[in-house]
Amino acid sequence: MSVAMPGPKAEILARRGEIAKALSAIVPGEGVITDPDGMRPFETDGLTAYRQLPMIVVLPETVEQVQRVLRYCYDNEIRVVPRGSGTSLSGGALPLADGVLLVMSRFNKVLEVDFENRATVVQPGVTNLAVTRAVEHRGFYYAPDPSSQIACSIGGNVAENSGGVHCLKYGLTTNNVLGLEMVLITGEVIRLGGKHLDSEGYDFLGLMTGSEGLLGVVTEVTVRILRSPETARALLVGFPTNEDAGRCVGDIIGAGIIPGGMEMMDSLAIQAAEDFVHAGYPLDVEALLIVELDGPGEEVHELIERVEAIARDNNAANIRVSQSEEERANFWAGRKAAFPAVGRISPDYYCMDGTIPRKALPKVLHRMKEMETEFDLRVANVFHAGDGNLHPLILYDANDTDQLERAEAFGSAILKLCVEVGGVLTGEHGVGVEKRDLMGEMFSEDDLAQQERVKCAFDARQLLNPGKVFPELHQCAELSRMHVHKGQLPFPDIPRF
């Protein structure tokens, strides 16, 4: 493993047998795994370049078990890494050699469907797609739809603030979560939000969404469900260059049109997806936009005409409009399968997740083409064009150490470019270990220290998912020191008790 993680504590490893016995008493039966072969499936997540066997794997089934496991780990100062379905592409669920991997996959029940309040209450192990499956018979659906929606869990979506192809119009996970139940490292249970629209006081719900398992373990999620649109149609628009497609994206949004989804693929991704799914993608173009428009039928018809005109003004080579629901779904099938499709043409790929202002798309895509030559590696671009969330797939062979190092360097260069043009390091995959050491490119030391203070308020012993997000770990006592400058306390006019 080439990424630095907190070193294992010898005193914890020496007590492994004792710890396993205590945890087995809390989660009996097959709820605790200690043999290496049994733990092997949990040694990595979607970022397969990094692997580490955990000390112990625990699979609880009840909130009480989660409480007792976390309290035991807190009392014994044992590190804990929460894990959902293991689809994280940033190494967010990478285990620790001296840590307990707390796997939430057995929390897999839909607890309540409330159509009157347009809400569904689920356990965190329920898959993203299963939420829609539970309500679609009444014409409802859950809007965030990551490409991994058939496998990724709602708990993991909350941890990473996942998006998807329809987040442009309907928002990320944070815009669709109404309430959470969480267990803190001390074993305490807290409830945030609910079925109501908003909560009083501080926005702790927003704080927890996207916190990457550093603040607590989610045990229940209340999500917003939406009515399926009356009409939804998609356009396939091919362009002779990536730059033409990038300009078209900006022009569509600039015209006041907010598509239900707007995705872009480059020629390498188009070829791979077409060979895999046979969605009818044109193979003689350099870039492909999939633009979905939804709403009342008359409105959709008018928007299609406007988008077609904008596309032609940006040198569109061909335009196809879906004529049936089956054809619309087929347009999306290729995009949804793009990641596994690229996996068929390369032994491995490294999926990035930077986000940029839409106006920077042509510049960034051009610069990435130049980087292919610099790093001697191919890149396939598949991304959420509407909100500038890039997903470059860097193709490499993990069995070749030099290629892995070049892939990591290539990825870092792309993310630094995103920040340089006014973007951010991540859109929906999270920081994890993948982007951890690049946080200084975007945040100052003061910024990062303030974020760590929030972590300390929930986890003063730094036991939950350490080694993720923050490039340098600090003791909470160190972060809370009072700094005296030239004999003066900060804000001397504030009363101190």
Side-chain angles (χ1 to χ4, degrees):
M1 184 170 66
S2 61
V3 64
M5 295 295 287
K9 299 177 182 178
E11 64 273 21
I12 297 296
L13 292 175
R15 296 173 50 214
R16 182 173 182 268
E18 170 197 333
I19 294 167
K21 183 176 180 181
L23 294 175
S24 295
I26 298 171
V27 187
E30 298 180 347
V32 174
I33 304 172
T34 58
D35 67 283
D37 288 342
M39 294 193 295
R40 190 70 61 190
F42 302 99
E43 69 178 355
T44 188
D45 56 15
L47 185 63
T48 56
Y50 307 130
R51 299 171 185 272
Q52 171 63 61
L53 275 179
M55 179 175 68
I56 297 169
V57 174
V58 180
L59 295 97
E61 296 185 60
T62 68
V63 175
E64 182 188 2
Q65 287 177 347
V66 174
Q67 287 181 270
R68 291 176 62 193
V69 167
L70 290 178
R71 184 69 204 191
Y72 175 82
C73 291
Y74 176 77
D75 290 339
N76 290 273
E77 299 202 11
I78 301 165
R79 295 161 171 163
V80 180
V81 176
R83 175 186 168 109
S85 297
T87 57
S88 168
L89 290 167
S90 63
L94 182 68
L96 294 168
D98 64 343
V100 169
L101 190 68
L102 191 64
V103 181
M104 300 298 290
S105 55
R106 293 183 175 179
F107 278 69
N108 56 9
K109 296 180 178 63
V110 175
L111 300 176
E112 181 188 1
V113 176
D114 184 345
F115 290 111
E116 287 73 17
N117 286 305
R118 299 198 173 190
T120 302
V121 183
V122 300
Q123 291 184 317
V126 171
T127 63
N128 176 286
L129 187 58
V131 179
T132 291
R133 292 282 183 262
V135 299
E136 63 186 358
H137 65 285
R138 289 276 298 271
F140 286 82
Y141 74 111
Y142 178 60
D145 55 345
S147 294
S148 59
Q149 67 180 151
I150 193 172
C152 65
S153 67
I154 288 295
N157 289 177
V158 171
E160 306 293 0
N161 191 22
S162 302
V165 299
H166 290 95
C167 67
L168 172 62
K169 185 173 183 178
Y170 296 105
L172 298 156
T173 299
T174 191
N175 307 111
N176 290 276
V177 169
L178 298 171
L180 294 176
E181 178 186 80
M182 294 186 71
V183 183
L184 305 182
I185 187 64
T186 55
E188 298 167 277
V189 177
I190 62 172
R191 296 193 73 91
L192 305 169
K195 295 178 184 177
H196 44 282
L197 181 62
D198 206 352
S199 301
E200 69 287 344
Y202 293 117
D203 183 16
F204 286 114
L205 189 62
L207 175 66
M208 294 301 180
T209 307
S211 60
E212 301 197 34
L214 272 70
L215 305 182
V217 177
V218 174
T219 50
E220 183 184 292
V221 187
T222 302
V223 300
R224 175 184 288 110
I225 53 175
L226 302 176
R227 269 286 185 189
S228 299
E230 174 189 315
T231 303
R233 297 178 69 188
L235 295 87
L236 276 185
V237 188
F239 293 88
T241 69
N242 287 320
E243 289 78 10
D244 287 332
R247 281 190 293 272
C248 184
V249 170
D251 288 351
I252 289 172
I253 300 297
I257 301 170
I258 307 297
M262 183 156 52
E263 301 290 296
M264 182 169 165
M265 301 166 68
D266 69 8
S267 57
L268 185 56
I270 295 166
Q271 182 72 60
E274 181 60 21
D275 288 346
F276 186 39
V277 176
H278 307 296
Y281 290 170
L283 300 179
D284 57 348
V285 296
E286 282 298 310
L288 182 69
L289 281 184
I290 307 175
V291 185
E292 180 164 291
L293 302 161
D294 60 14
E298 287 298 318
E299 178 186 350
V300 169
H301 179 74
E302 179 190 342
L303 291 176
I304 287 173
E305 292 181 343
R306 292 176 62 192
V307 169
E308 285 182 305
I310 293 169
R312 291 191 188 96
D313 288 344
N314 283 279
N315 306 316
N318 54 61
I319 302 173
R320 280 179 58 198
V321 181
S322 64
Q323 301 302 317
S324 66
E325 177 60 24
E326 181 182 2
E327 188 174 21
R328 184 189 73 87
N330 202 40
F331 285 1
W332 283 115
R335 166 59 184 92
K336 290 281 188 178
F339 285 16
V342 170
R344 298 171 74 234
I345 63 174
S346 175
D348 301 277
Y349 63 78
Y350 190 19
C351 179
M352 308 309 297
D353 174 48
T355 299
I356 61 173
R358 281 181 291 265
K359 67 179 182 181
L361 271 173
K363 175 182 177 180
V364 170
L365 292 172
H366 178 73
R367 182 72 186 100
M368 273 198 275
K369 271 294 179 189
E370 295 176 339
M371 288 181 186
E372 283 189 293
T373 302
E374 292 175 27
F375 293 98
D376 193 24
L377 292 171
R378 294 185 298 167
V379 62
N381 275 296
V382 184
F383 58 91
H384 310 311
D387 56 5
N389 185 197
L390 306 179
H391 290 320
L393 306 177
I394 302 168
L395 280 52
Y396 74 102
D397 185 349
N399 294 315
D400 184 331
T401 304
D402 178 61
Q403 283 197 33
L404 173 56
E405 290 175 353
R406 279 187 282 127
E408 290 177 322
F410 194 169
S412 293
I414 290 172
L415 294 176
K416 289 177 182 178
L417 176 62
C418 290
V419 175
E420 179 188 314
V421 300
V424 296
L425 293 171
T426 179
E428 57 172 335
H429 292 174
V431 176
V433 296
E434 176 207 20
K435 308 177 187 75
R436 179 195 65 191
D437 297 334
L438 293 172
M439 288 285 275
E441 297 288 331
M442 184 173 169
F443 298 106
S444 69
E445 287 187 19
D446 288 342
D447 293 333
L448 291 170
Q450 192 63 24
Q451 291 181 43
E452 280 197 78
R453 290 186 183 99
V454 175
K455 159 81 167 163
C456 289
F458 289 88
D459 178 20
R461 297 181 182 177
Q462 302 272 22
L463 298 175
L464 274 173
N465 220 7
K468 316 292 172 59
V469 179
F470 299 111
E472 184 179 349
L473 289 175
H474 296 92
Q475 295 294 327
C476 290
E478 178 186 353
L479 292 167
S480 63
R481 288 174 184 157
M482 179 75 74
H483 293 278
V484 179
H485 181 65
K486 293 183 178 181
Q488 292 290 316
L489 290 171
F491 310 107
D493 53 318
I494 295 177
R496 304 183 189 280
F497 304 95

